[in-house]
Amino acid sequence: MPSPAGTPDADPVRASAGAPAADRAGGPAGEPLIEVRDLTRVYRRPRTSLTRPGEAVHALKGVSLTVHRGERFGIVGESGSGKSTLLRLLCALDRPTSGSVTFAGREVAGLPERSLRFLRRSLQIVFQDPMSSLDPRMRVRDLVAEPLVALGEPVGDRVAELLDAVGLPASAAERYPHQFSGGQRQRIAIARALAPRPEVLVADEPVSALDVSVRGQILNLLADLADELGLTLVFVSHDLAVVRHLCETVAVVHDGLIVETGPVDDVWEAPGHPYTRALLAAVPTLEGML
Ligand SMILES: Nc1ncnc2c1ncn2[C@@H]1O[C@H](COP(=O)(O)OP(=O)(O)O)[C@@H](O)[C@H]1O
Ligand SMILES: [Mg+2]
């Protein structure tokens, strides 16, 4: 395995990017890109007694999954099932208690930030609430350019290009996040995520904080961008209908475990696990949203 530190030019992801997604219609596209093996994460609640340690929360209890290059992979489960924990580990924003995460064959779990440059370039994240993920004191121009600046890359015309790609006017660049609606702010967050031309876009409930009336627009924008840019998508939602709209593969998470995984249409038509059936029964329809 090559040393990840300080060798961005030898990045295998960059070297092999450019041929994703072409065969999406035929199912999982390329070779394995993200591999998660036996991942666990135990949190400690703050101690309430001097003599006993805080209570352990087993947020992930041994999760394995594979996301292929060009695939659109959905993770679905109710609140508290461990979805955000799984995403944080997958993006190396947190360390697992045990298990491994590899990206393009390179271990990322538990690595220090300076060794994760290749990952920060190749994988970008959109969070649920753009209000808290965007610094309110920064102009949109600087917010969108920031990931490029952080990677030491030229900004050039990229901000205007990106604003156009997410359906915002060029004049948006000079304004501040609070001057936009929730849906527009999520467009800004998406533009920012796309700035370094990532291969993978990870989204954690990106429409859950938005008005129902604009959710469909943002989902359709994500679908269009994924198509145009050949993105690999890892998309988390509590709503299986939303995952079905956007993804081809789904993993159903329940209480820190994957209880079912496969092509989303198969899981939708014939759910194999009682929990998936319960989720389906609780699914709000997408009617009026798309
Ligand atoms: N930092 C933390 N400290 C303690 N418990 C946590 C922490 N983050 C998450 N949890 C717990 O881990 C479980 C899974 O949380 P999370 O991954 O956020 O689920 P989801 O995103 O599916 O709603 C929940 O029981 C939650 O309360
Ligand atoms: Mg969550």
Side-chain angles (χ1 to χ4, degrees):
M1 180 149 305
S3 157
T7 55
D9 294 335
D11 186 341
V13 177
R14 295 288 272 188
S16 55
D23 47 348
R24 172 173 298 136
E31 66 276 30
L33 180 60
I34 302 171
E35 293 190 88
V36 169
R37 290 291 164 262
D38 300 324
L39 213 53
T40 74
R41 178 65 167 96
V42 182
Y43 295 113
R44 285 267 161 214
R45 289 207 200 283
R47 55 166 72 215
T48 52
S49 139
L50 279 177
T51 50
R52 273 178 314 217
E55 184 197 346
V57 179
H58 294 261
L60 288 183
K61 299 175 178 172
V63 163
S64 299
L65 59 84
T66 302
V67 179
H68 298 83
R69 195 163 252 139
E71 189 175 12
R72 297 183 187 185
F73 194 102
I75 297 168
V76 73
E78 69 193 336
S79 176
S81 55
K83 305 182 299 294
S84 295
T85 300
L86 175 56
L87 273 204
R88 280 199 297 276
L89 295 176
L90 204 140
C91 303
L93 296 175
D94 183 23
R95 287 163 177 262
T97 303
S98 66
S100 87
V101 179
T102 60
F103 188 91
R106 296 161 78 169
E107 183 63 49
V108 300
L111 282 196
E113 196 55 40
R114 66 188 146 73
S115 304
L116 290 169
R117 217 180 126 82
F118 77 100
L119 186 71
R120 297 289 174 249
R121 183 198 303 272
S122 304
L123 179 151
Q124 289 283 315
I125 313 165
V126 175
F127 293 100
Q128 174 170 341
D129 181 5
M131 206 49 185
S132 54
S133 67
L134 299 174
D135 185 336
R137 297 160 304 180
M138 288 172 72
R139 286 181 200 272
V140 168
R141 166 186 307 291
D142 299 320
L143 283 166
V144 172
E146 192 180 37
L148 291 172
V149 174
L151 288 164
E153 294 191 1
V155 177
D157 297 331
R158 212 52 198 124
V159 172
E161 243 174 72
L162 287 158
L163 291 176
D164 185 54
V166 299
L168 289 172
S171 60
E174 302 313 322
R175 291 154 68 194
Y176 292 89
H178 75 265
Q179 296 176 283
F180 295 88
S181 68
Q184 289 171 324
R185 274 197 292 273
Q186 202 55 302
R187 288 176 193 267
I188 296 165
I190 293 168
R192 175 181 158 89
L194 294 177
R197 303 183 197 275
E199 182 175 12
V200 182
L201 190 65
V202 173
D204 191 354
E205 307 247 19
V207 302
S208 302
L210 303 180
D211 281 352
V212 173
S213 60
V214 300
R215 285 182 188 173
Q217 295 169 21
I218 299 298
L219 290 174
N220 287 334
L221 174 67
L222 285 172
D224 290 347
L225 289 168
D227 268 347
E228 280 164 32
L229 305 174
L231 293 170
T232 303
L233 208 58
V234 180
F235 182 90
V236 160
S237 176
H238 59 275
D239 186 339
L240 189 51
V242 166
V243 168
R244 186 179 181 224
H245 179 69
L246 213 57
C247 301
E248 59 210 349
T249 311
V250 66
V252 181
V253 182
H254 175 52
D255 196 19
L257 289 168
I258 292 180
V259 295
E260 180 160 12
T261 185
V264 69
D265 286 333
D266 294 358
V267 171
W268 179 270
E269 302 293 339
H273 192 277
Y275 176 72
T276 313
R277 288 197 282 276
L279 260 190
L280 267 171
V283 151
T285 77
L286 282 176
E287 238 168 274
M289 245 172 79
L290 300 167

